[in-house]
Amino acid sequence: MKNQHRQECDFVESLINVFTCHGFRANPKSVHLAMLTAYVDESGIHPGNHLCVVAGYYGNDAQWGGFIGQWIPALCQRKNLHMRELRWKEEARIGPMLAKLGGIPDKFGLNRIVGGIWHKHHGELVKGVVNEKYSSPYMLAAQACMSYALKSIPPDEGIAFVFDRQHLYEPLVQALNGVVFDLMKTDKRLKGITFIDKSTTVCLDPADYLAFQIREYQSYPASRKAALGMSILGDGTAIGEIYTRERVKSYADYM
């Protein structure tokens, strides 16, 4: 377990070095506490009338290191937490584990970020009206999540986003990043966007948990799954937005 903790911390530190190495001549360790990393996952991207959510957490190197140290032991011998793979009928075992895990991100001051859009609103107002390449529910939710995170950080800080790998959407997100942030230089605080496999790090685990819980609670508030995962929501505060129907209509009209 100690070895896994060290490997996870090394992974987080290596991301900081990757995103600051190009043209950076000072000591990389000097930016560890100023550089923020956001780990982001999605839930509900399949068609339906439910909510599509892209959500996760951001924090600095020290916060993620502290989180890793408590998250790994709380996983109960699991390598990672994948909400869709849990055996929900084993409530007596799953419930206490989720309750314990849910409070760990808050303990280390990690910031919740969320973007969401209802498929039913997207189908009514966006689909067939706006070019769908960059306006799918996933893309709109991801853009909201990133936009609000950037708005929330100080002007002298930088943030890198690490997404759960989505082979369908990864090239679209990277293309959008290339035009909006790299070419147009709209916000130099964005230090990079990376897609990795969920099994690579436990830092994507709370994003998986949070996105799943928001989608489940908003779509099926009376479900047992929603009841078991409430601890990840903390006091309910988050940076971001779940688009209302009016907000989606405004977007569609503008586009």
Side-chain angles (χ1 to χ4, degrees):
M1 191 172 292
K2 288 183 178 179
N3 185 47
Q4 185 182 355
H5 178 205
R6 183 63 261 164
Q7 289 176 343
E8 291 283 352
C9 288
D10 287 344
F11 176 82
V12 172
E13 290 175 5
S14 70
L15 279 178
I16 300 296
N17 290 328
V18 167
F19 289 125
T20 58
C21 67
H22 300 290
F24 189 78
R25 295 185 174 85
N27 180 1
K29 291 185 180 297
S30 67
V31 301
H32 276 200
L33 295 179
M35 180 69 183
L36 301 170
T37 307
Y39 291 88
V40 184
D41 203 351
E42 82 293 325
S43 185
I45 62 176
H46 54 285
N49 290 321
H50 53 270
L51 183 67
C52 173
V53 179
V54 174
Y57 290 87
Y58 75 73
N60 61 39
D61 192 21
Q63 289 172 304
W64 282 115
F67 159 83
I68 290 167
Q70 291 203 6
W71 188 268
I72 291 174
L75 282 174
C76 302
Q77 304 304 314
R78 296 172 180 271
K79 183 180 179 181
N80 291 95
L81 177 69
H82 300 305
M83 297 295 286
R84 290 182 60 187
E85 297 176 3
L86 293 180
R87 298 178 179 177
W88 292 96
K89 292 182 179 179
E90 300 178 7
E91 183 176 327
R93 183 173 60 85
I94 295 300
M97 180 187 71
L98 291 179
K100 185 175 183 179
L101 289 170
I104 296 176
D106 282 340
K107 185 173 181 179
F108 292 95
L110 294 170
N111 298 275
R112 288 183 198 83
I113 49 176
V114 59
I117 181 171
W118 289 89
H119 279 275
K120 57 187 176 183
H121 296 158
H122 183 274
E124 293 171 7
L125 302 167
V126 179
K127 191 172 183 179
V129 176
V130 180
N131 187 305
E132 293 186 35
K133 187 173 183 179
Y134 296 107
S135 64
S136 68
Y138 174 87
M139 289 296 293
L140 292 180
Q143 290 171 59
C145 190
M146 293 174 60
S147 175
Y148 275 96
L150 283 163
K151 289 177 182 177
S152 71
I153 67 173
D156 59 343
E157 294 221 40
I159 185 169
F161 289 86
V162 181
F163 283 79
D164 171 43
R165 174 149 282 140
Q166 282 289 334
H167 293 290
L168 177 62
Y169 295 112
E170 179 176 352
L172 297 179
V173 174
Q174 294 291 16
L176 186 68
N177 171 48
V179 173
V180 177
F181 294 103
D182 289 344
L183 184 62
M184 298 176 65
K185 307 293 184 184
T186 56
D187 198 328
K188 294 182 180 180
R189 294 174 302 164
L190 179 61
K191 301 304 181 183
I193 299 175
T194 303
F195 283 77
I196 62 174
D197 293 326
K198 194 174 294 185
S199 60
T200 304
T201 174
V202 295
C203 292
L204 277 169
D205 287 6
D208 179 292
Y209 188 173
L210 180 63
F212 179 95
Q213 176 62 20
I214 293 173
R215 192 267 310 155
E216 184 71 21
Y217 181 70
Q218 291 287 334
S219 303
Y220 316 105
S223 77
R224 194 60 192 148
K225 292 180 183 179
L228 291 175
M230 292 301 291
S231 63
I232 195 69
L233 300 181
D235 63 2
T237 60
I239 297 164
E241 180 180 8
I242 294 176
Y243 290 144
T244 62
R245 189 182 189 282
E246 291 71 24
R247 186 86 158 78
V248 176
K249 186 177 187 308
S250 176
Y251 165 80
D253 291 345
Y254 174 79
M255 294 302 292

